[in-house]
Amino acid sequence: MSFDDLEKRLGYEFHNKELLRLALTHTTYVFEHNQGHHMSNQRLEYIGDAVIDLVIGRKLYELKPEADEGYLSKIRSIIVCEESFATLARKLNLGELILMGKGEEQTGGRNKDSTLADCVESITAAIYFDSDFETVREVVLRLLDETINLAVDGKIFLDYKSRLLEIAQTKNNQHKVEFKVVDERGPQHDKEFDVEIFVDGNFLAKATGRTKKQAEQKCAKIAIGEYEKLFVI
């Protein structure tokens, strides 16, 4: 896939193509090529995160005029999260275009949720800097339209850990669920945690997250599907 293909998927054509390239440049690529840290997409991620927060927050404010702050924050957290961004990134095939170091690529970096989600944020910022707020707002709302509707309709479940524990303790299913952090790595500001889930001592699922909580939630989501294959709910 080329940058032109990505622009078609985004529904936005960049005036400054270098902004798009910057948005797809991973830190490992600039380190490998002895470039400054500012040549990676991390600064754009910072802006993109804020832009998406505002766009989604405003949309929910308009959709739910009688909802309180707690509800709006909860729904926004379901939409504005690593999982939904990574899903969008895969639909856009972003992984094919990310510039990254050879080591990171060899360890599956192109398909990491965290890397893909970061690129969605950095591309959002790139569009913002290349155009204006109204333009980027239209792009974000179009790309996340399905996720927004599902979240508002209550069709996206957020607390997978609680759900797994709940179904494991139903009347006909009394099973012991264990969450184990089996590995953690990376610098303090950019750690990754590996979590595994066991049911009655048997391995069920494994996932990675930037925090223990995030890793547990991602792992629990996978585990629910595996649990349903093993036990009648």
Side-chain angles (χ1 to χ4, degrees):
M1 191 173 76
S2 67
F3 278 11
D4 288 342
D5 293 326
L6 176 56
E7 287 177 319
K8 290 176 183 176
R9 291 174 183 266
L10 291 170
Y12 179 81
E13 183 176 350
F14 279 84
H15 302 288
N16 181 357
K17 305 295 183 181
E18 285 303 308
L19 271 172
L20 179 55
R21 186 179 191 280
L22 179 61
L24 291 165
T25 303
H26 194 260
T27 52
T28 56
Y29 181 87
V30 299
F31 291 152
E32 191 175 277
H33 290 78
N34 296 315
Q35 298 174 347
H37 186 271
H38 65 285
M39 296 300 290
S40 76
N41 62 5
Q42 288 198 330
R43 280 167 52 87
L44 285 176
E45 290 169 32
Y46 164 73
I47 296 297
D49 178 58
V51 170
I52 297 174
D53 259 356
L54 178 56
V55 169
I56 300 302
R58 172 179 164 180
K59 181 63 176 180
L60 294 175
Y61 185 87
E62 294 168 349
L63 284 175
K64 295 289 184 178
E66 298 181 3
D68 61 24
E69 179 187 3
Y71 170 85
L72 295 174
S73 296
K74 178 182 178 180
I75 299 302
R76 182 173 64 181
S77 70
I78 294 174
I79 301 166
V80 183
C81 69
E82 181 179 287
E83 183 179 345
S84 67
F85 290 173
T87 297
L88 172 59
R90 291 187 176 98
K91 289 179 179 177
L92 295 170
N93 289 337
L94 289 186
E96 297 180 20
L97 293 175
I98 299 173
L99 300 173
M100 62 174 53
K102 294 179 180 177
E104 181 69 13
E105 182 169 8
Q106 291 170 355
T107 57
R110 291 192 183 278
N111 197 42
K112 282 186 180 178
D113 281 2
S114 58
T115 298
L116 293 171
D118 287 346
C119 279
V120 168
E121 292 178 338
S122 60
I123 287 174
T124 298
I127 294 173
Y128 170 68
F129 284 126
D130 194 59
S131 56
D132 52 44
F133 180 75
E134 282 306 310
T135 299
V136 74
R137 186 175 77 89
E138 291 175 4
V139 173
V140 168
L141 292 178
R142 176 165 33 79
L143 293 176
L144 290 174
D145 180 64
E146 181 180 1
T147 304
I148 293 169
N149 291 329
L150 289 173
V152 170
D153 291 342
K155 295 180 180 178
I156 297 180
F157 196 79
L158 183 62
D159 192 352
Y160 296 101
K161 181 178 180 179
S162 294
R163 176 57 181 158
L164 176 62
L165 294 172
E166 176 187 320
I167 63 176
Q169 294 301 314
T170 56
K171 184 177 180 180
N172 297 321
N173 292 281
Q174 299 289 318
H175 301 285
K176 182 181 178 182
V177 179
E178 295 179 276
F179 290 76
K180 295 182 180 180
V181 178
V182 295
D183 190 24
E184 62 178 87
R185 57 194 170 276
Q188 193 63 38
H189 69 282
D190 192 25
K191 276 187 171 297
E192 283 190 330
F193 297 84
D194 292 335
V195 167
E196 292 181 352
I197 294 178
F198 295 80
V199 173
D200 297 339
N202 299 306
F203 173 79
L204 204 63
K206 181 178 181 178
T208 301
R210 288 182 171 179
T211 65
K212 293 178 183 178
K213 181 178 179 180
Q214 183 186 78
E216 287 179 342
Q217 290 291 348
K218 291 171 67 175
C219 196
K221 182 180 181 182
I222 299 169
I224 289 172
E226 296 302 313
Y227 182 96
E228 291 174 344
K229 294 176 185 177
L230 294 175
F231 306 103
V232 177
I233 298 177

